[in-house]
Amino acid sequence: GAGVSQSPSNKVTEKGKDVELRCDPISGHTALYWYRQSLGQGLEFLIYFQGNSAPDKSGLPSDRFSAERTGGSVSTLTIQRTQQEDSAVYLCASSAGGLTDTQYFGPGTRLTVL
Amino acid sequence: KQEVTQIPAALSVPEGENLVLNCSFTDSAIYNLQWFRQDPGKGLTSLLLIQSSQREQTSGRLNASLDKSSGRSTLYIAASQPGDSATYLCAVRGSYIPTFGRGTSLIVHP
């Protein structure tokens, strides 16, 4: 079956512009995560969605970052007024929703802010 | 706060060697531990998931062990091949949000 997909695979933008990154989780997965991976750094948690519950936004680095998940499926991560330090690979993962379930990752979106 | 450490940070070995990658964590109250592989420019691929009640999991040439009380997991790779070259990450789940280590970058040369 289809895995987690993300689009675009690469995004180059100018400082100050807004960007939207998309994640399509595995069908039926209720949990969805966004992470950021900067060069030479580990995975940084950004936001977590579980079903219809309010998302855990505790990892968002600033109010320029926001995310939504429509219909319990597709998610969009929006970065407003991008800065050069936002350059990173943004990874999305989904799972069936339980604490013991495997996380499945998408291929990521590489964001470059010039 | 959970902290996850992976040692070594990088490893270069000749083909055919057996390898051990280490992952340690500070809080033993976990549900499970997951090992991933990441190829350059790609996402993470799940290798093995060990639940807290389990001691080890095996898949092909890979074997992962978990010692919750000492806060350690090891990933054993038997008879390494150049295709095993990648970064290996462990993730510890004590809540719905897992904590990741920084990974071990492995190069297996012919």
Side-chain angles (χ1 to χ4, degrees):
Chain A
V4 179
S5 61
Q6 293 186 245
S7 61
S9 55
N10 281 284
K11 177 72 176 179
V12 180
T13 190
E14 294 179 348
K15 177 182 173 181
K17 300 281 190 182
D18 297 352
V19 295
E20 284 189 352
L21 312 180
R22 177 187 168 105
C23 172
D24 282 87
I26 292 173
S27 178
H29 278 190
T30 59
L32 187 148
Y33 302 78
W34 282 99
Y35 297 91
R36 178 168 71 175
Q37 189 174 37
S38 303
L39 192 63
Q41 302 296 314
L43 258 71
E44 176 187 5
F45 163 76
L46 296 177
I47 189 168
Y48 161 66
F49 294 90
Q50 171 60 32
N52 296 319
S53 301
D56 183 330
K57 305 178 183 180
S58 60
L60 294 178
S62 77
D63 58 8
R64 296 186 296 105
F65 288 73
S66 63
E68 63 177 20
R69 189 177 185 191
T70 54
S73 181
V74 172
S75 177
T76 302
L77 177 69
T78 301
I79 308 174
Q80 296 178 312
R81 305 180 303 281
T82 51
Q83 304 294 312
Q84 289 185 330
E85 60 263 29
D86 298 334
S87 296
V89 175
Y90 289 82
L91 293 163
C92 174
S94 72
S95 75
L99 284 164
T100 59
D101 293 319
T102 297
Q103 278 196 314
Y104 296 91
F105 279 77
T109 293
R110 180 175 297 278
L111 175 67
T112 303
V113 182
L114 302 177
Chain B
K1 177 187 173 184
Q2 179 76 269
E3 292 183 4
V4 179
T5 303
Q6 291 190 245
I7 294 173
L11 188 60
S12 180
V13 300
E15 181 177 6
E17 279 204 4
N18 300 324
L19 310 172
V20 175
L21 308 183
N22 297 291
C23 172
S24 62
F25 47 96
T26 55
D27 187 347
S28 62
I30 65 169
Y31 291 97
N32 55 53
L33 184 146
Q34 192 165 1
W35 282 94
F36 294 89
R37 167 187 174 135
Q38 185 175 30
D39 292 286
K42 306 288 186 183
L44 278 65
T45 300
S46 178
L47 297 174
L48 291 164
L49 173 69
I50 312 177
Q51 304 295 349
S52 62
S53 58
Q54 298 174 323
R55 295 285 290 183
E56 64 180 308
Q57 282 286 333
T58 298
S59 176
R61 293 183 294 108
L62 304 179
N63 175 278
S65 68
L66 175 63
D67 184 341
K68 224 175 61 162
S69 60
S70 67
R72 292 183 179 182
S73 176
T74 61
L75 179 66
Y76 176 83
I77 304 176
S80 59
Q81 302 171 358
D84 295 330
S85 298
T87 297
Y88 292 80
L89 296 99
C90 68
V92 174
R93 180 174 279 182
S95 68
Y96 282 102
I97 301 166
T99 303
F100 285 79
R102 289 199 168 195
T104 293
S105 177
L106 172 66
I107 296 175
V108 181
H109 49 86

